[in-house]
Amino acid sequence: MAIAIGWSAGGGGFGVAWAPTWDLRLAFELDGLAALYGVLAAGIGTLVFLYASAYVPRHLAHQERSRREEARLHGAMVLFLVSMLGLVMAQDLIALFVFWDLTAVASWLLVGYDRHNRDARLSALMALLVTAVSAVLMLVGILMLRAEYGTVQLPELFAVAQESTTVTVAVALIAIAALAKSAQVPFHFWLPRAMAAPTPVSAYLHSAAMVAAGVFLLSRIHPLIQLDARLLDGLIVIGLTSMAVGGLLALGSRGLKRILAYSTISQYGYVVTMLGIGGAAGAAGACFYVLGHALAKSALFMTAGAVTEATGAKALGEVGGLARRMPLLAAGSGAAAAGIAALPLTIGFFKDELFFKAALDRGNVLGALAVLGAALTFAYMARFWTGIFLGAPKGELRPVERRLIWPVALLGALVVVGGLVVGPFADLARDAAVVTQRGAVELEAAYHLDARAENLMAIGAYALGFALFASGRLLGAPLSVFSRLGHDLGPERAYNASIRGLNRLSNRLHDIEVRDLRGRLIAVVVPGAGLVALGVAVTPTDGAYRTGALPAADVPLVVALAVCALAALAVPFCRRHLLIALALSGVGFALATTYSLMGAPDVALVAVLIETIFALLFVGVFALLPRDVLRREARLRAPRSRKLRDAAIATASGVVTSLVVWSAFSRPVPREGMSDRLSALAPEAHGKDIVTVILADFRGLDTLVEITVVAVAMIAVSLLLRGKLRG
Amino acid sequence: MSLIAAPLLLLWPGAIVLALLDGRRRGPGALAVAILAAVFVLLAVLLAAVVARGPQELVAGGWAPDVGIRLRVDALGAVFAVLSCGVLLASLLQAVITGIHARATPSLTLFMALGLTGLFLTGDIFSFYVFFELAMICAYALTAAGGGDRRVRAAFTFAVVNLLGSFLFLIGIGALYRATGTLEMAAVAQQAATIDPNTGLLIAVTFFVAFGIKLGLFPFHFWLPSVYLAVAPHVAAMFAGALANIGTYGLLRFGGAILPAELELSSAALIAIGALSIAYGALQAIARRDTREVLAYSSIGHAGYVLIALGIGGPVGIGAAVIFSIANALNKTLLFLGSELRGRLAATAFLVGVLSVAGVPPTAGFFGKAALFDAGIDAGSITTVTLLFVGGALSFVYLFQIYQHDRWRPRAEREREMPTGAASPGQRGVALAVAAIVVLLGLWPEPLLAIGEQAAQEITATTPGRAEP
């Protein structure tokens, strides 16, 4: 209500800086388009809330669930309503995206409301994946526009955007998200599954809000879509396909809510087609269509819920003859069904008139297709309503709250009022179309008792529709073939197959995942070596590896290094543990010797100390280990193939490590004289030699941290020694 | 600037004192939390100073910058320090509330905070290494804390694989010192322009492997799932939210700031490895039915995103890497801390984490994802954008699959696997506080985006006029 008043008062808007670094603004404006969709979301939302207040307690009682869960549904519905209102008013595409995704999240929570039910969980996941993953494409599109024009503010974009491949691709990506949201082919399959949601959710999201968001977005960015005729044509193709597929499936289905879901797909197909036709006629038709459809469709969903509550029936054939027993419901839903079927004296009549007019503007073929679509609509709506309310009464009738009935009656009345006094509705739609079209739009909705094309088309559609409805039995077989074909080859199957396939692939990958320590080390060493080799391959190696001269004075050094290398080579050939330990300490002592030969006696001394400690430690540990364990371990033999593999890996990693070091040592020594400078500073640091002052003073912080490392290691070891790090 | 020294001077004695106390008691636990909170505030002040006045410096011992160790904090270091310390604070708080089973946990956490803070604040490569070792050894010990064969075994694997990485890193540092004659990061970055491309690239590769292991990048990640699964949730949160930052920060610092030419040269390889990591992590995660296992594998995928952003490079790519990493660290902390909490509020907090990882607004993760896409689009790379899209789609599948599996199935079906009761108010409080930060950064992303931009500009500006290799 406030939205309607606000809009009639001239709209308005505001904008504040949001994230200046990215030039984002929280800019909202209540323009005609926002007013139309906002009124729908809030108005129908209010009725649905009333309906839900009676429906949900019953729903929970059927499933023996706690009344406390009611709050969860209302919470998610409110979240949805708020995001929807934000969405329709946002002028900043990123802000718009935020609300867009929030509607998807709210819808996920709502479709999965009966979470104990596996089917509901899978349906919720499907609805979310289809709408939220496609939304990522929209984000990409938005960011592409931002990269191109440096802004995501819609008014600025409309002013600067010009036809270009980038813009076309970006807009196409956004359009895909919109089409997925409006359940257009080939993304339509989530909507029938989403009927797992409690009925009030369907009455709201799947008639007036969630699915409407898609066509809303198309209308919102229509000035950008208009830049490329191919996009418009694409919309027409998708719209017509959805119209046909949805209509045929609706005609062939039995489930009450399922029929309505397919009908929604088909009806939004009309809207998308009109948006594709574009121009003033298309824009006006699309906006009016959304309005007329939303009123009628939510009434029908609520009807389905009330019928199920009253009789327990969920599909055609399980129910009949309700017209006498529930007259008010019959009347309300009759008006709504007539509205969808576009009978005169309902608002629906004008929505089809505008549709026919727009279609005719684009030629007779489109006009003919429009009539066929309308005929399908007429047929399935007739089947739906007569199937429930006419015929022989079936089943027992349980009393239902009046709150389940009168929202339907109210909406039905609105549909009729719209058929009699179309003015205010037409104004609302026209103001929305003005935004879409960025220019004046004429929207003329009135009865003309003459033989103009639209009237003839409408009559043709009724006649053809009635023929289809009357030959229902005959059509049964081909329709079921069509729906089986869709089931076997359609996108839903592809979706299910890919989810299953991904899970299977995941399990297979998990089975081959490396789990032992050796494998984990190999997984580091081998790719690491590969990357170094790649590095050598892609850089010029000319002069990168120098050998230099070997002065006679260095011969002892070379000998010591050779001893070191030999000792290292001996390690893998040793079998007994003691020998391995001795060979390893041989490596260490040989290294200590090289330090001493390089003029670093203090380093050599430290190395000798450490090697001695480690050698003793090893021997001590071996003495403590049970003898038979050591003996058994020493007898273990690896298969030859593994030995070869390990040797190859070890060699490769040794070689590449050497390459890294060799390459660095082939560079000239930089910053000569640094050591002299440090030595000169030694007295200032109260030290006598350079090593001491570096360790204790210049780089004392490092030493301190290293001491801390040792301390932490000791904490860990002491805890381990107590048995189990339990303290 | 004593602002730099203050956090270290508070942590060091604090950790030592706590090492002498029994950390299972309330008192020492509370003391450790109080110290971490104080350090967090100090680091936040430091970050504010860096944002307002640019990088801050301090030379240890008051020596000339090329003699002593230079501590230098820029936006990147400061923000990672604040982030990591905050994550440790939240995790430790959660641990204290839940009840600590190992007496050394508070002390080890503080030592880890010391190591992490030190390595983010230092401007010296070797002191980076020693702080890094300190953080790592605490991580090994924390893995084994709480006891049990499984943890000790995981700790052993963790230590051995990561020591191999540290060893490679040390070789790289040695080689870099030999090639440039200095250990000071800024000076090395200047000298690095003159290094022979072969030497430079090989050094860069050793660094890459070392940080790849820390970050848990495919194929260096094999230690990661076993460790994340073996440890308590609060320890996993510390690892995923704080410790893994070493890998990200290291790649950004050593790749982006110190060896940018090498980074640029390896762009294609980085994107390829990143793609493998994303695909591998996501595919592994899809069929896992244990929340923490999913999170562990998703971490591998997220490491891939960081790499892709780095591969794109430039201010936009590096900025995206920073923004994404911050969001990712917060997400992982939230999810690990919330992984075993039950009850409606806890579930809400957990859901915020799931949405954020999926990049659904209004969360920090949304801007992380948007920044990545923005970088890919800015680079004009269709491959990258496609890759990000596919990776994102897969993450939707595994995140919502596991969420529904874990939180939506009727109690009767899952009691067997998840015996935990409703969370205590304190546990919920911590998870909700982290969730609130995630949402807040989604609603008001300016700080996140601005710090990303500043960090990226500082990093890319340190090496003006570098010639193409």
Side-chain angles (χ1 to χ4, degrees), chain B residues 326-336 352-353 356-358 363-365 438:
Chain B
I326 295 171
N328 187 35
L330 289 171
N331 296 343
K332 290 292 156 57
T333 308
L334 171 56
L335 288 176
F336 274 115
V352 167
S356 188
V357 174
T363 56
V438 169

Side-chain angles (χ1 to χ4, degrees), chain A residues 190-471:
Chain A
W190 70 265
L191 188 61
R193 289 295 303 266
M195 295 301 115
T199 302
V201 173
S202 306
Y204 189 25
L205 269 62
H206 306 136
S207 64
M210 172 94 170
V211 279
V215 291
F216 159 77
L217 181 64
L218 291 177
S219 310
R220 181 58 91 201
I221 61 160
H222 208 265
L224 297 176
I225 300 179
Q226 286 168 15
L227 293 173
D228 193 327
R230 287 171 297 175
L231 291 173
L232 292 171
D233 293 345
L235 288 183
I236 294 181
V237 171
I238 290 174
L240 287 174
T241 318
S242 306
M243 211 166 95
V245 169
L248 289 171
L249 290 173
L251 196 54
S253 301
R254 290 184 62 245
L256 299 180
K257 287 177 72 183
R258 228 178 156 75
I259 294 175
L260 296 176
Y262 285 126
S263 156
T264 301
I265 295 170
S266 169
Q267 295 281 297
Y268 280 103
Y270 283 70
V271 181
V272 170
T273 309
M274 277 186 273
L275 288 170
I277 292 169
C287 292
F288 192 84
Y289 209 104
V290 168
L291 178 59
H293 169 256
L295 294 174
K297 187 53 74 55
S298 48
L300 290 176
F301 269 116
M302 288 194 249
T303 305
V307 167
T308 306
E309 282 305 312
T311 66
K314 289 185 173 170
L316 291 181
E318 298 170 7
V319 62
L322 272 186
R324 269 158 199 260
R325 298 198 278 177
M326 302 178 86
L328 190 57
L329 186 69
S333 66
I340 298 277
L343 295 183
L345 300 185
T346 66
I347 192 170
F349 177 77
F350 302 109
K351 77 179 169 63
D352 268 23
E353 289 286 286
L354 293 167
F355 174 55
F356 291 145
K357 186 162 169 246
L360 272 185
D361 283 358
R362 282 294 282 264
N364 290 334
V365 179
L366 209 56
L369 290 172
V371 172
L372 281 177
L376 264 178
T377 308
F378 182 93
Y380 69 70
M381 251 7 299
R383 180 167 166 265
F384 178 82
W385 192 82
T386 56
I388 296 174
F389 292 100
L390 302 182
K394 270 185 205 170
E396 269 177 48
L397 203 62
R398 287 172 298 197
V400 292
E401 285 87 345
R402 266 183 301 181
R403 267 175 299 166
L404 292 185
I405 310 287
W406 70 256
V408 178
L410 189 67
L411 285 169
L414 266 179
V415 169
V416 175
V417 169
L420 300 172
V421 192
V422 73
F425 298 91
D427 288 350
L428 193 60
R430 190 201 50 229
D431 291 343
V434 167
V435 177
T436 301
Q437 206 50 30
R438 283 165 60 77
V441 171
E442 285 293 307
L443 196 157
E444 200 225 338
Y447 295 106
H448 301 276
L449 294 171
D450 53 17
R452 61 179 60 202
E454 294 100 289
N455 284 354
L456 294 179
M457 286 164 82
I459 292 168
Y462 303 147
L464 192 58
F466 188 77
L468 280 173
F469 167 64
S471 54

Side-chain angles (χ1 to χ4, degrees), chain B residues 63-145:
Chain B
W63 296 104
D66 56 344
V67 174
I69 292 173
R70 176 144 82 157
L71 301 179
R72 184 175 188 280
V73 196
D74 58 7
L76 180 70
V79 75
F80 269 96
V82 171
L83 176 69
S84 306
C85 190
V87 168
L88 290 180
L89 175 62
S91 309
L92 186 64
L93 187 58
Q94 179 84 297
V96 170
I97 292 169
T98 313
I100 292 176
H101 299 298
R103 62 176 292 152
T105 300
S107 160
L108 288 174
T109 308
L110 254 58
F111 274 123
M112 182 140 105
L114 175 63
L116 287 171
T117 310
L119 76 88
F120 293 132
L121 300 193
T122 187
D124 181 282
I125 294 177
F126 195 76
S127 98
F128 177 96
Y129 174 76
V130 292
F131 278 117
F132 161 96
E133 269 207 299
L134 178 59
M136 291 314 294
I137 195 149
C138 294
Y140 309 145
L142 276 172
T143 306

Side-chain angles (χ1 to χ4, degrees), chain A residues 18 21 506 513 667 699, chain B residues 124 199 280 283 297 443 446:
Chain A
W18 182 21
T21 308
S506 173
E513 173 119 299
R667 309 274 74 78
R699 304 196 63 92
Chain B
D124 181 282
T199 312
Y280 186 87
L283 285 176
Y297 282 111
L443 291 174
E446 180 59 17

